Amino acid sequence: MEIQEVTPIEEKIKNIKPICNGLYPHEVLALYYADRYTTGKNNHFGFWSYKYGIKDMDNIFRSLYKRGYIETGSLELTLKKSCRIQELKDLLKQHNLKLSGKKDELIQRLINNVSHTKLNNIFKDKPYVLTDLGKDVLEKEAHISYIHCHNIADLDIWNLSTIIHEMPPMHYKSTIIRYLSNQCKNFLSKKLYSSYISYKIQMADIVLEENMPQRALKFLLEASYYILNGIENYFDNTQLQESLSHFIPYKYALNGLISRDIERIINCKNLLALSETQLKEIASNTFSSIKLPFNFFEIDECINIIILDIENKKKDINKICNIAEERFKATYTNEYNEILNYHNLYESSVEQLKKEATEKNNVYDEEWEKEIEERLS
């Protein structure tokens, strides 16, 4: 696998402007992590280097300290963060002090009975804490830590900051939803249906964080409608044998692969206290508003598959799938035979490769999966 080079932070910020109070996005992110670092030499998270191209984080923290965004914590905080109980007891013993009690009690006993100068000399590395100025910046730029911690679309601390500061003021999650929504429209125009599905699911997760299960349910149902009908990237209803060549949609439904999102749907249903009838009505309204390039299932069948999947009734799903399969076979006989031949070849190849792997060392080797694809192509 080719290792992608990371642009050094110095090059990255050369042609961009600071976003808030003279700070760049990576410096705001450093504020988010400041309380995990000290004035001494630190072991840094790997992402600073491989994701952001930063080699010397200690220097960044020193710069933030000089500019008043962070300060050193109290002696009490220093002892809490840097001392183990045994170390505290050793110090107490050296000063003929009582050793019993919880950690906080041991710390207070040291602070009350031992010279602060002496303790500060022993524990020279002080933890960083945010100043009011640092807290203010971190609050204003909350999207920085959020997008760093969440893998959403193609967004990162750099482009999301640009988007947010160029748009009218609104909550950063609303900005993200708007961005994803616009991208979804673009995906549909380019027949990038798999990307559309992925973004809709991410939108659902974000609005659920904001306690908006009704919106989340709509996004999830939209995604599910595409998934159930087997609509993938560049789907072309005039060439079904090619568009559906990698799978038959009803097999996904039968195997409950819609269930990758079914737990989310169940969660929304429970949060909204929806009855089965109410969920069906919402699904019907949602599906009716979508025009797919091809429908393997009718709307009522999609609704029933989701309900049955919630109830884990796979046999009943199978009945719906058989009806849809026969309907597809009658209408698209040639395409059906082509797809079936592909699957027979695929399954035969899988079984053969498993057999070969077993005969070789009695262990099924995942690397054979790659060879399956190569042989089939």
Side-chain angles (χ1 to χ4, degrees), residues 51 53 72 85 87 100 139 164 180 199 270 332 360 368:
K51 194 171 183 179
T72 54
I85 289 181
E87 292 177 281
S100 61
E139 184 178 348
I164 282 177
L180 294 177
Y199 277 35
N270 292 339
Y332 303 99
K360 183 179 179 182
W368 282 95

Side-chain angles (χ1 to χ4, degrees), residues 144-352:
I144 297 287
S145 57
Y146 179 82
I147 203 61
H148 166 75
C149 297
H150 295 78
N151 186 21
I152 299 175
D154 57 348
L155 294 172
D156 56 33
I157 65 172
W158 311 102
N159 57 18
L160 181 57
S161 292
T162 300
I163 293 168
I164 282 177
H165 285 275
E166 287 179 350
M167 292 184 68
M170 65 174 70
H171 192 274
Y172 68 86
K173 288 186 181 178
S174 298
T175 302
I176 294 173
I177 290 294
R178 178 181 289 189
Y179 173 80
L180 294 177
S181 180
N182 289 335
Q183 290 295 97
C184 281
K185 293 175 185 176
N186 185 44
F187 290 146
L188 288 183
S189 68
K190 295 179 178 179
K191 297 185 177 181
L192 296 174
Y193 301 114
S194 297
S195 300
Y196 171 88
I197 292 166
S198 174
Y199 277 35
K200 282 289 178 178
I201 294 170
Q202 291 185 60
M203 290 164 69
D205 287 341
I206 295 169
V207 296
L208 263 180
E209 292 173 355
E210 297 302 297
N211 196 28
M212 292 187 280
Q214 193 157 5
R215 287 189 72 189
L217 180 60
K218 184 175 184 297
F219 294 147
L220 291 169
L221 289 172
E222 287 171 349
S224 299
Y225 196 43
Y226 280 83
I227 294 169
L228 275 174
N229 285 285
I231 310 300
E232 289 192 319
N233 283 346
Y234 309 113
F235 189 99
D236 187 347
N237 63 347
T238 64
Q239 296 176 303
L240 287 178
Q241 72 272 24
E242 294 178 13
S243 295
L244 299 177
S245 62
H246 289 83
F247 67 99
I248 299 179
Y250 73 84
K251 287 199 172 186
Y252 264 14
L254 177 59
N255 291 329
L257 292 190
I258 185 68
S259 296
R260 71 176 186 163
D261 309 311
I262 208 70
E263 291 302 323
R264 291 180 171 95
I265 291 175
I266 292 172
N267 185 32
C268 291
K269 178 179 180 291
N270 292 339
L271 288 171
L272 293 166
L274 296 176
S275 66
E276 183 179 301
T277 301
Q278 289 171 319
L279 178 58
K280 284 184 175 182
E281 183 179 353
I282 294 171
S284 178
N285 292 336
T286 302
F287 296 160
S288 299
S289 66
I290 300 172
K291 187 174 181 180
L292 295 181
F294 172 76
N295 284 83
F296 188 86
F297 293 106
E298 294 176 355
I299 286 178
D300 284 347
E301 290 173 332
C302 288
I303 294 170
N304 287 330
I305 287 172
I306 289 174
I307 297 299
L308 291 169
D309 204 0
I310 290 173
E311 297 172 351
N312 199 31
K313 295 181 177 179
K314 305 302 182 188
K315 289 184 179 179
D316 291 328
I317 293 176
N318 192 19
K319 294 176 184 177
I320 297 174
C321 292
N322 288 336
I323 293 170
E325 181 183 1
E326 290 301 316
R327 183 173 60 239
F328 179 85
K329 182 179 179 180
T331 309
Y332 303 99
T333 305
N334 292 336
E335 290 86 347
Y336 176 84
N337 290 332
E338 290 255 3
I339 295 167
L340 203 60
N341 288 337
Y342 176 90
H343 273 283
N344 290 336
L345 175 63
Y346 182 87
E347 289 171 5
S348 174
S349 298
V350 170
E351 288 305 314
Q352 179 61 29

